Amino acid sequence: MKEVKSPKKPLIFYYLIVLGVILLFNILVMPLLSQSQIQEVDYGTFVKMAENQELGQVEIDETRNQVLFTDKDEKVVYKAGMISDPDLAELLKESGAKYGGQIIQQTNPIVSFLLTWVLPIVIFILLGQYMNKKLMNQMGGKNAMSFGMGKSNAKIYVQSTKGLKFSDVAGEDEAKESLQEIVDYLHNPKKYTEAGASMPKGILLVGPPGTGKTMLAKAVAGEANVPFFSISGSEFVEMFVGMGASKVRDLFQQAKEKAPCIVFIDEIDAIGQKRSSGVSGGNDEREQTLNQLLTEMDGFEGNTGVIILAATNRPESLDPALTRPGRFDRRVPVELPDLAGREAILKVHAKKIKTAEDVDFHTIARMAAGASGAELANIINEAALRAVRNGRTIVNEADLEESIEVVIAGYQKKNAVLSDQEKKVVAYHEIGHALVAAMQNHSAPVQKITIIPRTSGALGYTMQVDTGDKYLLTKEEIENKIATYTGGRAAEEVVFGQITTGASNDIEQATKLARAMITRYGMSDAFDMVAMETVQNQYLGGDVSLACAPDTQKEIDRKVVDLVKKQHEKARKILEDNRDKLDSLAKYLYEKETITGEEFMRILEGGERA
Ligand code: ADP
Ligand code: ZN
C-alpha cells in the first residue's frame, strides 16, 4: 500500500526558499538598481570639470534639480545638485561634452515597485505551482496544496483485491466461518433486509500479529467482490492536528459512495485506546479522531452495505465505547495456527517455490510450534534463500529445517515457542485440569484443550462449557471447581515431582472462589450467613471491600488456605488413581496440540490411544 506523506516538509522548504529569494533581492539586486554607486559631488566640481574639458556625457535632470555627468572615460558617474545657473548652456557648449541623452535609466517608481513587490510574489506563485506539481505526482493526482488546514488531504486506498479468497488464507477455519456471513450478506442483502436483520456495523479481528487478519479482511472483500478501503489507525494520528477527524469523515464519505464495500482499519488501538479520564490531559488529537469515528459509525444505518473490519492485537486496551453494541460489537478471534493450520499455511506458501518431492510439511509444522502465519511464510522464504545460496533451485527438507532454526531463534524471545520439555509439562498440566474436572461428575465436560500459546500469556487452556445455563452453584460444585483449578499443578507434581510458574492464574482463580465461598456465599460453618465482603462497582471491575475486624480477616485467610489445600489434595489423589489415563491423554495432546471434548472422552472411556 502506498503511503501518503504529509506535506509538512515541502511546506517548510517552500517558505525557506521564498525567504531566501527576498533576502537575495534586498542584498544583491536592489543596490544595483538604486544609484548608490554614483558619486555625489558639488556643483563647483562640475563647473571646474566642464571648464577643464574633462566631461564625457552630461544629463540635466530638471525634475530633480540635479545634473548627472561622467568623466572622459565615461566610467565614473557623478551627480551634483544643480543651482540655477544662467551660464550652464554656454558652459556645456564649451566643455565639448555630449549632452541631451540619458546617462542612466532612472528607475522609475513603477518599475521599482514591480521589482521589489511584484517579482517576488510572482516567483512565490511559480515556485508554489512547481512544488504543487511535484507533490501531486507523489500523491497520485490529488490536490495536495490545499493550504487550508481544515481540509484533509486524506487519501483512501481502494484496492482491487485481485481475487484474494478465503482459500488463500490457510487454517483459521473458525474466523472464516464467522466472516462467511458477511460475505453472504454482501452478496444478497435482500435476504437480510426482508427478515429485518441488520448486519453488525463493525467487526473486530483480534489476534497476535501476523496471523492473517489483514488477509482475512481482504478475502472478505474478494469473496464478496466489493471495493476494499484500507487505512491504518496510526495514519490517523500522524496527521496534522485536526486532520485525523476530517480524514475519518472523508473515509466514510467515500465508503458510502462506493457501498457496498469493506472498510478495513488496521491497528485500531492506535486511535481506539481508552480515553484518559482527564488527568494530565490525554491526546486530544486521538480523542477527536476516535469521537469522529464513533459519530460516523452511529451515523449510518446497519443496512447501507458498509462493513467495517478492524484489526487489533491489544483488544483489552480498546475504549469500551468502541466495543459496545452498534459499533464493533462482533469479535472474531484470529489465533495462532495449530499443527494442522501450520501445515496448511506452509503448503500454501510452498506453492510459490519449488520443493523437493520428499519434503514432509507435517514434520516442519510440528517443529515450528508457536509460529504465526507470517513467520511460517518467512520460514519458506528463508529456505528458498538458503537453497539459492547453495546453488540450487529446489528447496529440500534440510533447507526448511535450517530456516526454522533461523526464524525460531529470532522470535523465541518475542513469542512463546515452547521447548520440548515445556510442551510436555504444559500438556500434563492442561490434561490435569481436564481429568480432574471429568472425574468429578459434577463438573462440566471438557470442550477443547489446546497447548498453543495464547496472546494472553497462557501456555495452554482448557475450555469448559457448562451444559445449559447455570445460575446457581452448589457448595460441592464450587469445591469441585477449585479442585479443577488445582488439577494443573497437581499433575505436574504427580508426574514430574516438580512445580512450575504455569499455575499462577489457576491459583488466583482458586483463591477468589474459596474466598467468596466464605465471605460472600456463607458456605462455611465458622461464619455462617454473615457477609464479610461487599462488592463495589460491579460494572467496573467488581472490587470487593472487607467489612470485618482484623482478627476475623486472619481467620478468613486461614480458612481459605485450608479449603484450597483440601481440594488440591483431592485433585492429586484423582490424578494418582488415574495415572494411566493421565499419561495417554497427555501424550495425545502433546502430539496433536489440540484435543476436542469428544476425543478426550473417547480416550478416557476406551482407555485406548487414538
Ligand atoms: P496481520 O494483519 O494479522 O498482522 P497479515 O494478514 O498482514 O497479518 O499477514 C501477514 C502475512 O503472513 C501474509 O501476507 C501472509 O503471507 C502470511 N500469513 C499469515 N496468516 C496466514 C494464513 N492463515 N494463511 C496464509 N498466509 C498467512
Ligand atoms: Zn492451569
Side-chain angles (χ1 to χ4, degrees):
M1 207 166 302
K2 252 204 294 172
E3 188 155 310
V4 178
K5 283 209 197 82
S6 65
K8 231 180 234 168
K9 214 171 167 188
L11 260 181
I12 288 173
F13 218 59
Y14 180 72
Y15 285 130
L16 278 178
I17 289 176
V18 168
L19 209 78
V21 166
I22 290 174
L23 274 175
L24 217 76
F25 245 89
N26 283 312
I27 294 171
L28 295 174
V29 184
M30 289 319 289
L32 288 177
L33 294 173
S34 75
Q35 294 138 17
S36 61
Q37 84 275 35
I38 294 176
Q39 279 192 27
E40 226 166 305
V41 290
D42 59 88
Y43 192 67
T45 314
F46 169 69
V47 175
K48 203 180 264 167
M49 282 173 79
E51 284 169 355
N52 295 343
Q53 311 244 312
E54 285 169 0
L55 294 177
Q57 272 192 60
V58 178
E59 180 195 341
I60 310 294
D61 181 355
E62 283 179 25
T63 44
R64 290 186 203 189
N65 221 10
Q66 63 181 16
V67 57
L68 292 162
F69 58 98
T70 66
D71 57 4
K72 267 262 159 350
D73 308 332
E74 294 188 17
K75 274 190 186 138
V76 186
V77 179
Y78 300 94
K79 179 173 88 180
M82 204 163 50
I83 42 174
S84 135
D85 180 358
D87 302 331
L88 181 62
E90 191 73 11
L91 184 67
L92 280 176
K93 222 179 255 173
E94 281 169 14
S95 71
K98 290 175 257 173
Y99 57 96
Q102 269 190 328
I103 294 176
I104 292 163
Q105 213 71 41
Q106 288 292 336
T107 30
N108 101 14
I110 297 175
V111 172
S112 76
F113 170 78
L114 283 177
L115 285 173
T116 44
W117 289 101
V118 180
L119 193 67
I121 289 173
V122 169
I123 291 174
F124 198 91
I125 291 169
L126 285 178
L127 250 170
Q129 270 181 353
Y130 169 72
M131 304 286 290
N132 197 8
K133 212 173 252 169
K134 255 183 96 174
L135 265 177
M136 257 162 73
N137 289 343
Q138 270 176 17
M139 301 180 69
K142 290 229 167 173
N143 182 14
M145 219 49 159
S146 47
F147 278 119
M149 291 298 176
K151 167 112 180 60
S152 101
N153 51 14
K155 181 150 182 338
I156 313 301
Y157 312 92
V158 184
Q159 285 188 336
S160 62
T161 44
K162 290 249 171 62
L164 193 61
K165 292 276 149 67
F166 277 153
S167 53
D168 296 315
V169 187
E172 305 298 349
D173 293 331
E174 286 106 339
K176 282 194 259 185
E177 214 168 276
S178 316
L179 294 169
Q180 183 58 46
E181 196 183 12
I182 305 293
V183 175
D184 191 44
Y185 165 76
L186 290 168
H187 270 310
N188 194 357
K190 243 197 194 152
K191 191 168 88 188
Y192 289 81
T193 35
E194 268 169 19
S198 59
M199 268 293 118
K201 288 179 193 170
I203 294 158
L204 205 54
L205 299 170
V206 182
T211 44
K213 297 184 289 296
T214 311
M215 268 187 112
L216 277 167
K218 282 184 190 165
V220 171
E223 289 274 344
N225 203 14
V226 297
F228 180 73
F229 292 81
S230 151
I231 196 160
S232 166
S234 57
E235 266 176 65
F236 285 122
V237 275
E238 275 167 14
M239 288 279 111
F240 286 132
V241 178
M243 292 290 259
S246 66
K247 205 165 182 186
V248 171
R249 251 193 316 272
D250 272 16
L251 174 70
F252 278 87
Q253 185 154 9
Q254 293 199 35
K256 275 183 250 178
E257 280 163 17
K258 290 258 162 58
C261 65
I262 300 285
V263 173
F264 178 63
I265 306 176
D266 205 356
E267 303 173 48
I268 194 164
D269 40 288
I271 46 167
Q273 265 172 40
K274 284 192 186 79
R275 282 170 285 194
S276 56
S277 47
V279 198
S280 77
N283 184 342
D284 277 354
E285 171 65 358
R286 215 198 57 229
E287 279 181 25
Q288 275 175 21
T289 310
L290 175 58
N291 286 337
Q292 187 63 38
L293 179 64
L294 297 177
T295 313
E296 292 288 346
M297 287 192 80
D298 290 342
F300 67 85
E301 297 303 312
N303 283 325
T304 45
V306 180
I307 304 268
I308 310 161
L309 298 179
T312 179
N313 42 40
R314 301 164 55 209
E316 71 289 338
S317 76
L318 290 183
D319 196 294
L322 258 182
T323 47
R324 68 150 224 234
R327 287 160 182 172
F328 290 100
D329 48 1
R330 192 178 286 188
R331 198 178 264 226
V332 175
V334 187
E335 292 287 356
L336 287 173
D338 60 6
L339 184 58
R342 289 200 301 271
E343 192 177 335
I345 294 171
L346 283 171
K347 280 181 178 158
V348 163
H349 287 278
K351 276 188 204 141
K352 296 173 206 154
I353 61 168
K354 284 187 202 135
T355 48
E357 301 263 302
D358 63 331
V359 169
D360 181 6
F361 286 107
H362 187 77
T363 315
I364 307 294
R366 172 165 300 183
M367 287 171 71
S372 72
E375 281 159 346
L376 292 167
N378 194 15
I379 285 173
I380 296 282
N381 194 48
E382 282 289 333
L385 287 175
R386 184 173 182 266
V388 173
R389 241 177 273 137
N390 295 344
R392 282 176 284 117
T393 51
I394 293 176
V395 174
N396 61 29
E397 179 109 16
D399 292 328
L400 284 161
E401 283 174 17
E402 175 77 22
S403 82
I404 285 179
E405 257 160 59
V406 171
V407 177
I408 285 187
Y411 64 62
Q412 203 147 27
K413 276 165 240 120
K414 270 190 294 160
N415 276 2
V417 174
L418 302 180
S419 73
D420 213 43
Q421 176 63 17
E422 281 171 331
K423 208 169 139 185
K424 222 176 253 170
V425 173
V426 174
Y428 268 105
H429 178 106
E430 295 305 325
I431 292 294
H433 286 304
L435 196 55
V436 171
M439 298 316 280
Q440 307 167 110
N441 45 11
H442 286 287
S443 289
V446 178
Q447 176 99 53
K448 183 178 160 190
I449 310 170
T450 90
I451 51 168
I452 302 154
R454 301 277 132 177
T455 359
S456 61
L459 298 176
Y461 78 177
T462 302
M463 199 157 91
Q464 289 190 41
V465 168
D466 293 284
T467 42
D469 293 322
K470 238 177 166 170
Y471 297 106
L472 286 177
L473 287 173
T474 65
K475 183 179 173 186
E476 199 187 353
E477 277 166 341
I478 300 185
E479 281 174 349
N480 287 349
K481 268 192 166 194
I482 296 173
T484 303
Y485 280 126
T486 61
R489 165 68 64 89
E492 291 176 31
E493 290 165 341
V494 169
V495 178
F496 303 100
Q498 247 179 4
I499 53 177
T500 67
T501 53
S504 62
N505 186 49
D506 301 334
I507 291 168
E508 209 178 303
Q509 298 294 335
T511 311
K512 230 189 233 167
L513 269 182
R515 206 175 177 82
M517 275 179 80
I518 295 164
T519 61
R520 283 160 53 204
Y521 303 143
M523 286 179 176
S524 67
D525 296 334
F527 299 110
D528 201 52
M529 286 183 66
V530 175
M532 304 293 171
E533 275 175 355
T534 44
V535 179
Q536 292 176 327
N537 343 322
Q538 200 177 351
Y539 296 106
L540 295 171
D543 289 338
V544 288
S545 69
L546 276 176
C548 57
D551 277 355
T552 324
Q553 270 178 44
K554 247 189 234 160
E555 208 176 326
I556 292 172
D557 289 340
R558 213 169 12 247
K559 291 261 178 241
V560 170
V561 174
D562 288 347
L563 222 164
V564 174
K565 230 181 191 163
K566 198 172 145 211
Q567 297 309 316
H568 187 175
E569 259 151 37
K570 183 169 107 189
R572 199 161 33 219
K573 176 135 198 326
I574 291 175
L575 294 176
E576 272 163 358
D577 292 347
N578 295 281
R579 179 65 199 263
D580 53 333
K581 283 174 182 150
L582 178 64
D583 284 340
S584 53
L585 281 162
K587 187 148 191 284
Y588 184 92
L589 179 61
Y590 169 78
E591 277 167 9
K592 293 264 156 72
E593 293 184 7
T594 302
I595 181 171
T596 65
E598 280 161 34
E599 287 169 325
F600 181 89
M601 292 316 283
R602 203 176 59 230
I603 297 170
L604 186 63
E605 276 155 16
E608 34 72 70
R609 282 207 50 230

